[in-house]
């Protein structure tokens, strides 16, 4: 009896053809699809948490870094924005490379590079060395993170996929809050005299564990019909994001020089050129970096639109509250970080109930979540108005806890909606587009709400600047709630 493997045209996967020589009868058996088990899911979620934690972990460490390395405010902003820019610009490319060369391979390579660049950040002797290491760390994150969602899409199905996507959303939201808390704790603990360096060095042992687990438990998946990398599209997407994000993140600290305005003016033209190149490649039957045909999916299009105001508000709030509590209320890094603990706790527990609520009530859960978050943000603004400068854990507790619960009913569900109709073959591209949108909006949040807050302080004072910024965020929450009414009622 002989066994051969042939491609199956209908299902686009290998089938085993077993030939019985005595009867000349062939029996075709489909090869088993890759399966992501519990340990593998834990491992990829660990890989998802690391880049998001490191985006926020430095917020409370920046004052200490500035003193230790004699870094100016503009250089400190580059420590944050350099990471975010490299991360956002390369995410879609990372997803495409995973489709092409194998998602497990890219995940392992990206995680190893993340560990090495974290070590470089922790050992950086100067501020500019730290900036360079952070840019490299952002690039490593861009290779690792898209493989997480793509692997979940390719190696799970049905309820297992819904549960995995819910856990991914919970991990993403919790990581963004926990990063700020962990940063404060590590800086204050001053482990072995490392001070702020521990916020980066802590990644190294975590990465070693992650690499060991990934090698054993994460299945290899890739597109059955991979396309070569879209060179012109990659360059133009990178330029589009740079012309938008670079001036917004660096403009205020640099005093808004001429290059920032020229860059912003160039953005719509570069973005239009990118879209024209992608549409042309799509019409010619090639696979562009960001296929315009993906945006015909209503779930993806409307979900991406919702991610923008949600992420802008989230990251802007995290930056502003860190500055306000440390510089204005005089809290140390630990107390400033722990003031957000109620938000992290409620986010975690409520997000676990998300899949069941969505199964029962559909996407209206997102609308309710936006309403709950609005109540929480309003309570925090009221606490700042009434209690300033005595603002801390107790004063923020009711608002932070309610806001965290509302966020948990939105973010995981939006992620599921965006990816619900994307074909498995384009899982890497789809996840790259989604995470790029999220990351770009996170950077915009720091640039817009952060700039607004810092600009208002000289004229209004810290308290009124904080309250005003929270009210602006409240308007963004209301916009998210209104947009949620246009979502498909059910999630696939």
């Amino acid at each position: 009896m002989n066994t051969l493997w042939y491609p199956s045209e209908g299902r686009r996967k290998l089938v085993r053809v077993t030939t019985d020589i005595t009867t000349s009868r062939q029996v075709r058996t489909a090869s088993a699809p890759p399966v992501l088990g519990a340990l593998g899911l834990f491992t990829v979620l660990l890989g998802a948490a690391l880049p998001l934690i490191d985006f926020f972990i430095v917020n409370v460490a920046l004052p200490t870094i500035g003193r230790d390395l004699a870094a100016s405010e503009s250089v400190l902003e580059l420590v944050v924005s350099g990471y975010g820019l490299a991360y956002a610009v390369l995410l879609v490319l990372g997803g495409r490379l995973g489709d092409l060369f194998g998602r497990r391979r890219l995940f392992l390579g990206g995680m190893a590079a993340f560990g090495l660049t974290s070590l470089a950040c922790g050992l950086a002797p100067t501020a500019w060395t730290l900036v360079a290491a952070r840019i490299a760390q952002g690039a490593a994150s861009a290779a690792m993170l898209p493989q997480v969602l793509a692997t979940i899409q390719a190696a799970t199905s049905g309820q297992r996929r819904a549960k995995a996507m819910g856990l991914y959303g919970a991990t993403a939201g919790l990581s963004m809050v926990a990063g700020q808390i962990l940063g404060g704790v590590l800086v204050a603990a001053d482990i072995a005299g490392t001070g702020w360096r521990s916020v980066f060095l802590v990644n190294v042992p975590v990465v070693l564990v992650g690499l060991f687990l990934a090698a054993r438990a994460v299945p290899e998946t890739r597109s059955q019909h991979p396309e070569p990398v879209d060179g012109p599209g990659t360059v133009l997407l990178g330029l589009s994001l740079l012309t938008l994000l670079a001036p917004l993140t660096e403009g205020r600290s640099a005093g808004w020089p001429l290059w920032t305005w020229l860059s912003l003016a160039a953005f719509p033209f570069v973005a239009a050129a990118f879209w024209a190149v992608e549409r042309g490649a799509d019409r010619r039957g090639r696979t562009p970096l960001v296929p315009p045909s993906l945006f015909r999916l209503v779930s993806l299009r409307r979900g991406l639109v919702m991610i923008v105001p949600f992420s802008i508000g989230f990251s802007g709030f995290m930056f502003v509250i860190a500055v306000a509590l440390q510089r204005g209320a005089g809290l140390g890094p630990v107390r400033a970080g722990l003031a957000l603990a109620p938000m992290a706790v409620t986010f975690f527990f409520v997000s676990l109930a998300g899949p069941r609520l969505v199964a029962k009530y559909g996407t209206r859960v997102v609308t309710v979540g936006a309403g709950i978050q609005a109540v929480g943000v309003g309570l925090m603004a009221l606490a700042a108005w009434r209690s300033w400068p005595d603002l801390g854990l107790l004063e923020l507790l009711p608002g932070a806890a309610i806001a965290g619960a509302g966020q948990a009913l939105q973010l995981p569900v939006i992620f599921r909606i965006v990816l619900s109709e994307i074909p498995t073959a384009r899982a890497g591209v789809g996840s790259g587009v989604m995470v790029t949108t999220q990351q770009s909006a996170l950077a915009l949040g720091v640039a817009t709400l952060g700039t607004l807050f810092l600009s208002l302080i000289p004229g209004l004072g810290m308290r009124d600047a904080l309250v005003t910024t929270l009210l602006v965020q409240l308007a963004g929450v209301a916009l998210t709630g209104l947009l949620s009414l246009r979502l498909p009622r059910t999630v696939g």
Side-chain angles (χ1 to χ4, degrees):
M1 186 172 289
N2 298 329
T3 300
L4 300 173
W5 292 89
Y6 295 97
S8 170
E9 295 180 3
R11 298 294 299 276
R12 292 187 177 180
K13 60 183 179 182
L14 292 179
V15 297
R16 187 173 62 196
V17 178
T18 303
T19 305
D20 189 326
I21 297 176
T22 60
T23 63
S24 298
R25 182 168 52 87
Q26 290 185 338
V27 181
R28 294 165 61 90
T29 307
S31 62
V35 176
L36 184 67
L39 184 60
L41 178 60
F42 170 81
T43 305
V44 295
L45 291 179
L46 178 65
L50 287 172
L52 290 169
I53 286 174
D54 264 58
F55 184 84
F56 289 93
I57 200 169
V58 297
N59 278 350
V60 292
L62 288 176
T64 310
I65 295 173
R67 289 193 298 270
D68 190 28
L69 299 182
S72 65
E73 183 180 344
S74 59
V75 175
L76 288 178
E77 287 201 9
L78 279 173
V79 172
V80 178
S81 62
Y83 174 88
L85 283 171
Y87 189 17
V89 165
L90 297 172
L91 272 166
V92 178
L93 177 61
R96 170 60 63 82
L97 292 175
D99 288 348
L100 184 63
F101 296 112
R103 292 152 190 151
R104 178 176 175 270
R105 181 180 299 178
L106 261 291
F107 181 80
L108 286 166
M111 181 173 276
F114 185 86
L116 290 172
T117 52
S118 296
L119 181 63
C121 289
L123 300 178
T126 66
W128 284 106
T129 307
L130 178 59
V131 170
R134 283 284 283 173
I135 293 172
Q137 190 184 37
S141 298
M144 176 171 58
L145 187 61
Q147 319 316 326
V148 175
L149 284 168
T151 299
I152 291 174
Q153 286 287 97
T156 62
S157 60
Q159 279 301 111
R160 292 185 67 252
R161 179 181 294 176
K163 183 178 180 181
M165 287 302 302
L167 288 172
Y168 174 85
T171 301
L174 188 61
S175 298
M176 291 188 277
V177 181
Q180 206 139 305
I181 299 172
L182 181 62
V185 171
L186 288 173
V187 170
D190 194 20
I191 301 169
T194 54
W196 60 267
R197 298 178 186 274
S198 61
V199 304
F200 301 112
L201 296 176
V202 71
N203 291 331
V204 178
V206 177
V207 163
L208 292 175
V209 173
L211 288 172
F212 174 77
L213 294 177
R216 296 172 60 89
V218 177
E220 180 65 280
T221 64
R222 70 181 72 199
S223 173
Q224 292 296 322
H225 300 279
E227 295 283 345
V229 172
D230 173 14
T234 300
V235 172
L236 286 170
L237 176 63
L239 286 175
S240 298
L241 292 172
L242 283 172
T243 54
L244 174 65
L245 297 178
L248 289 177
T249 54
E250 293 303 308
R252 188 196 61 82
S253 60
W256 298 104
L258 179 62
W259 73 264
T260 59
W261 299 110
L262 293 176
S263 181
L264 287 172
F267 166 69
F269 298 100
V270 181
F274 165 71
W275 193 247
V277 167
E278 299 300 273
R279 288 185 62 187
D282 222 8
R283 282 197 300 267
R284 289 190 295 271
R286 301 175 184 172
T287 301
L289 184 71
V290 179
S293 55
L294 276 182
F295 291 89
R296 296 179 193 143
L297 302 175
V298 175
S299 55
L300 178 135
R301 191 170 63 246
R302 294 181 180 177
L304 288 179
V305 169
M306 281 196 65
I307 283 177
V308 174
F310 182 91
S311 298
I312 286 175
F314 200 117
S315 64
F317 168 78
M318 297 297 287
F319 174 81
V320 166
I321 202 68
V323 174
L325 292 178
Q326 289 192 86
R327 295 186 190 175
L331 302 184
V334 174
R335 292 178 64 197
L338 290 178
L340 299 176
M343 180 180 289
V345 172
T346 57
F347 189 104
F348 177 73
F349 285 107
V350 174
S351 63
L352 295 179
R356 292 193 298 274
L357 293 172
V358 172
K360 187 172 182 179
Y361 300 108
T363 58
R364 288 298 173 261
V365 168
V366 179
T367 310
V368 173
I372 294 173
Q373 184 189 0
V375 173
V377 173
L379 287 174
M380 285 190 285
L382 182 62
W385 176 264
R386 296 178 58 182
S387 303
W388 190 264
D390 300 318
L391 193 63
L393 173 62
L394 290 178
E395 291 77 17
L396 289 173
L397 192 152
I402 293 172
Q407 290 164 343
L409 294 176
Q410 297 174 79
L411 189 62
V413 183
I414 295 172
F415 284 163
R416 277 186 61 190
I417 291 167
V418 170
L419 298 176
S420 60
E421 295 181 296
I422 293 177
T424 300
R426 288 185 167 180
V429 177
S431 60
V433 169
M434 187 187 77
V435 181
T436 297
T437 303
Q438 181 198 19
Q439 186 60 40
S440 300
L442 289 175
L444 281 173
V446 175
T448 53
L449 292 181
T451 297
L452 172 67
F453 172 67
L454 295 173
S455 301
L456 291 175
I457 291 174
L460 298 180
M462 185 75 76
R463 184 196 71 169
D464 290 355
L466 174 59
V467 172
T468 302
T469 307
L470 288 174
L471 292 177
V472 172
Q473 186 196 354
L474 193 59
V477 174
L479 175 60
T480 305
L482 291 173
L483 290 172
S484 70
L485 296 174
R486 301 184 69 243
L487 292 173
R489 290 302 299 267
T490 58
V491 184

